Amino acid sequence: MQNLQETVQRNCHIADASHAGDYTLCIYLMKMREFFRWEAGEGFSASLDNRQVGRWLREREALWESLETEEFAPMRIDDNEYNPFDSGAINTALRDDGLVYSGGLGINNKPHFFLARLKRHDAYNGYTLYVADKELARDLTSPPAMAQGNNIYIRRESVKRMLWEKLESWNWNQPDNAMGKALGYYDFKGNVDQALEAMTDNELETILLHEIGEIRAGERLGKKWEELLITLPYTKAELMLRAVRDHLADAITTLPALLEKESEPSLHFYFGNLTHMRKHLSPSLMDAYRHWQETGNRARLDELADRNEAHWSQLTEEILKIEPDPERQYVAAIQDLIEKNRL
């Protein structure tokens, strides 16, 4: 167990050595502070010693610098060796140990690895669901959920940490926005830890719905969509394409399910997590949300959910008809097409 945990954590460090600098300075420092909290085993309500965090940060950056050229290590379990990205085979080998593992690629092809205690493993609407509990090894980004094929990994501890980061960000100015309304359903002033537990339990379903939507959207879009994204790193066109795909994924599963469920905290949480680009591409969605808030009438949201999927599906089909060219005129063509088809 200790060797396995150390191998996974070392692979996490190698991944972070190449990608930790992808964040803005503010986000980087916030994530590093929470990474320290996790590694030190401190609770969310515990005050952290800034000098201790600063020393740890310098040591971690020095470690990453020493690992920049290292290769990911294979996983060794019961005298067998596994590629660290072969999550299926590794989880089969760990089946009797109450553990769950994942190795995959996220945004901008950043590798992600984690090892955790397994809380739940079952079938869900044709998908294999792994819900991870206490994390034994993780990277800086620590995404709360990932889909690989028909396997969905939900990291409960990372979901809770993500919610804590949302709470801290909102607390800076406490704006009257969707995230603030979502947080307002829980007693964060009275008992932070208990409120985080309750919100985590409530939003696991929302995150699961989005991951299912991601899988179904990926099946429709195929490899050509991913190949197109690879040609557009760190461009406005890439941000737009990712936002379009997220809208399609949520139109397939998330928004219809949340409206049917009639969970107001989850609906506020959904809108509170929309990126600036997603809001820009779907002004009618934001108008419908504001109308619901002002009148208590959800009719516009329901009407929009009925036509959401068709709109984003048709737009993705039109995007895929644009062929890349050596002069990269296709980049402007993609941006222009998306701008003209905002919903």
Side-chain angles (χ1 to χ4, degrees), residues 252-299:
I252 294 171
T253 56
T254 316
L255 190 55
L258 291 181
L259 290 170
E260 182 179 355
K261 185 181 176 183
E262 296 186 345
S263 171
E264 291 193 3
S266 293
L267 273 172
H268 289 302
F269 181 71
Y270 171 78
F271 281 95
N273 276 296
L274 292 179
T275 63
H276 292 301
M277 182 59 77
R278 290 190 66 182
K279 292 176 182 178
H280 172 72
L281 296 185
S282 188
S284 61
L285 184 62
M286 299 312 300
D287 287 343
Y289 173 74
R290 283 189 288 269
H291 183 261
W292 170 48
Q293 289 305 288
E294 292 168 0
T295 67
N297 189 331
R298 233 183 49 188

Side-chain angles (χ1 to χ4, degrees), residues 152-167:
I152 299 174
Y153 300 89
I154 306 291
R155 300 167 61 174
R156 193 178 186 282
E157 192 172 279
S158 289
V159 172
K160 191 190 302 184
R161 199 167 302 277
M162 179 263 290
L163 294 176
W164 168 253
E165 291 176 3
K166 299 285 186 187
L167 174 64

Side-chain angles (χ1 to χ4, degrees), residues 95-323:
R95 183 173 295 163
D96 297 329
D97 297 309
L99 300 172
V100 58
Y101 168 86
S102 175
L105 299 176
I107 295 176
N108 296 326
N109 286 323
K110 182 194 185 304
H112 295 291
F113 306 98
F114 82 90
L115 179 70
R117 300 289 182 187
L118 180 63
K119 182 178 180 65
R120 176 182 165 196
H121 174 216
D122 56 26
Y124 184 95
N125 292 342
Y127 301 93
T128 300
L129 173 64
Y130 296 88
V131 178
D133 200 4
K134 179 177 174 56
E135 296 185 1
L136 307 174
R138 51 157 282 198
D139 57 30
L140 175 63
T141 305
S142 189
M146 285 190 73
Q148 297 173 0
N150 278 357
N151 296 320
I152 299 174
Y153 300 89
I154 306 291
R155 300 167 61 174
R156 193 178 186 282
E157 192 172 279
S158 289
V159 172
K160 191 190 302 184
R161 199 167 302 277
M162 179 263 290
L163 294 176
W164 168 253
E165 291 176 3
K166 299 285 186 187
L167 174 64
E168 282 212 308
S169 296
W170 182 81
N171 271 332
W172 289 343
N173 296 309
Q174 298 190 358
D176 182 18
N177 58 13
M179 185 57 67
K181 288 181 171 60
L183 295 168
Y185 283 86
Y186 307 93
D187 185 20
F188 282 105
K189 291 183 178 179
N191 191 321
V192 170
D193 293 330
Q194 191 176 76
L196 273 175
E197 288 288 337
M199 192 171 186
T200 299
D201 288 338
N202 199 42
E203 298 310 333
L204 284 176
E205 180 75 9
T206 304
I207 293 168
L208 175 59
L209 287 168
H210 179 76
E211 291 304 312
I212 292 174
E214 283 282 354
I215 293 174
R216 292 181 179 172
E219 291 170 348
R220 293 188 191 183
L221 299 175
K223 290 184 179 179
K224 188 175 180 180
W225 186 273
E226 295 303 319
E227 292 168 355
L228 181 61
L229 276 174
I230 291 172
T231 71
L232 301 168
Y234 307 108
T235 63
K236 181 180 178 181
E238 183 203 10
L239 292 176
M240 296 175 86
L241 287 177
R242 292 192 182 280
V244 167
R245 175 176 171 145
D246 279 339
H247 273 308
L248 175 60
D250 285 340
I252 294 171
T253 56
T254 316
L255 190 55
L258 291 181
L259 290 170
E260 182 179 355
K261 185 181 176 183
E262 296 186 345
S263 171
E264 291 193 3
S266 293
L267 273 172
H268 289 302
F269 181 71
Y270 171 78
F271 281 95
N273 276 296
L274 292 179
T275 63
H276 292 301
M277 182 59 77
R278 290 190 66 182
K279 292 176 182 178
H280 172 72
L281 296 185
S282 188
S284 61
L285 184 62
M286 299 312 300
D287 287 343
Y289 173 74
R290 283 189 288 269
H291 183 261
W292 170 48
Q293 289 305 288
E294 292 168 0
T295 67
N297 189 331
R298 233 183 49 188
R300 288 190 187 179
L301 277 174
D302 292 331
E303 184 273 332
L304 191 61
D306 289 338
R307 58 189 176 93
N308 231 3
E309 183 178 347
H311 174 86
W312 299 113
S313 184
Q314 182 177 349
L315 177 56
T316 57
E317 290 174 8
E318 293 298 318
I319 291 170
L320 289 172
K321 292 177 183 177
I322 300 175
E323 294 293 339

